[in-house]
Amino acid sequence: MLESLLARSLSELANLLVGLPALAPAMQQLADAMLGCWRAGGKVLIAGNGGSAADAMHFAEELTVRFQKDRRALAAIALCDAAAITCAGNDFGFENIFCRQVEALGARGDVLIVLSTSGNSVNLVRAVEAGRARGLATAAFLGKGGGRLKGMCDIELLVPSGSTARIQEAHQLLFHVLCEWVDAQVD
C-alpha cells in the first residue's frame, strides 16, 4: 500500500514538474521585483494559510537569514505572527488578518507575496487589495486554476494541479529556485 502511494505521488509530481519551466518568465519578474525592492530599501511581505503559512515562514526565513550561502540579510516578513493574526481575527474578523498587517507594514515599492493552493482565501484577496492600494508589487503562488486570486496580482505563478500536496511541493521548489537566484545576486 505505502509503496503504491509513493509511486503514485512520484508519478504525479514528475508529470507536474515537466510543466513548471513555463513559469520561468513570471519567476524572473518576481525575482527582479524582489531585488529592486531590497535595493530601494524595501521589504517583502509573505502570507498564506495553513501549510501555505508554514511555506510563507519558510520562504521568509531563507531570505532574511540565509539559503545556501552567507550573504547580507534581506528584509522579508511572514505575516504569520500568532498574536497579530488572533488579534486581527478577534477584532476585525479572520478575513482581515493579513490586510491589517499589510496596512501597517507595507509601503510603496515593497513586494507582497501570497501563497494559496486554491486562490480562494478571502483574507489573501483582501491582503492583495490592501497591497495594491498602498502601491506594493503583488505576486501570487497559486494552484487549482487560481480561484478568486487569479488575475488580481501583478505576477502570478499558477501551478497546474488540483492536488494540494503537489501544489505545495511545486511552490516550495519555485521559492527555493528564487532563493538560489537571490543568493547569486546578493553579496
Side-chain angles (χ1 to χ4, degrees):
M1 173 80 174
L2 179 64
E3 187 175 329
S4 66
L5 288 174
L6 178 59
R8 187 196 77 224
S9 294
L10 290 171
S11 176
E12 289 173 359
L13 187 56
N15 291 333
L16 179 59
L17 293 175
V18 172
L20 293 186
L23 299 178
M27 288 181 63
Q28 188 64 61
Q29 189 180 2
L30 177 54
D32 292 339
M34 291 164 53
L35 191 58
C37 164
W38 290 316
R39 286 184 173 154
K43 64 196 153 305
V44 174
L45 305 176
I46 311 172
N49 292 292
S52 295
D55 284 344
M57 291 186 290
H58 180 172
F59 192 9
E61 63 84 9
E62 288 184 332
L63 296 169
T64 302
V65 181
R66 74 183 307 270
F67 181 59
Q68 294 178 333
K69 76 168 199 173
D70 292 337
R71 53 153 168 74
R72 72 178 171 93
L74 299 168
I77 304 166
L79 304 179
C80 302
D81 176 88
I85 286 174
T86 56
C87 179
N90 186 63
D91 294 352
F92 295 97
F94 188 72
E95 65 276 7
N96 295 306
I97 62 172
F98 297 126
C99 69
R100 290 296 291 177
Q101 294 180 77
V102 171
E103 291 165 2
L105 301 171
R108 181 169 300 286
D110 287 347
V111 176
L112 171 65
I113 300 171
V114 296
L115 295 98
S116 176
T117 58
S118 71
N120 288 319
S121 300
V122 174
N123 55 21
L124 294 175
V125 169
R126 290 199 178 168
V128 168
E129 291 169 347
R132 291 180 67 85
R134 295 186 64 78
L136 280 69
T138 57
F141 286 70
L142 301 169
K144 297 184 182 177
R148 292 179 60 186
L149 283 165
K150 184 172 176 56
M152 285 188 67
C153 292
D154 302 310
I155 304 160
E156 190 172 279
L157 300 166
L158 177 56
V159 172
S161 175
S163 166
T164 297
R166 300 296 87 81
I167 295 164
Q168 289 174 331
E169 290 157 359
H171 284 176
Q172 277 196 357
L173 173 68
L174 296 174
F175 72 69
H176 279 155
V177 170
L178 285 166
C179 289
E180 188 170 354
W181 184 88
V182 166
D183 273 3
Q185 306 303 311
V186 178
D187 293 325

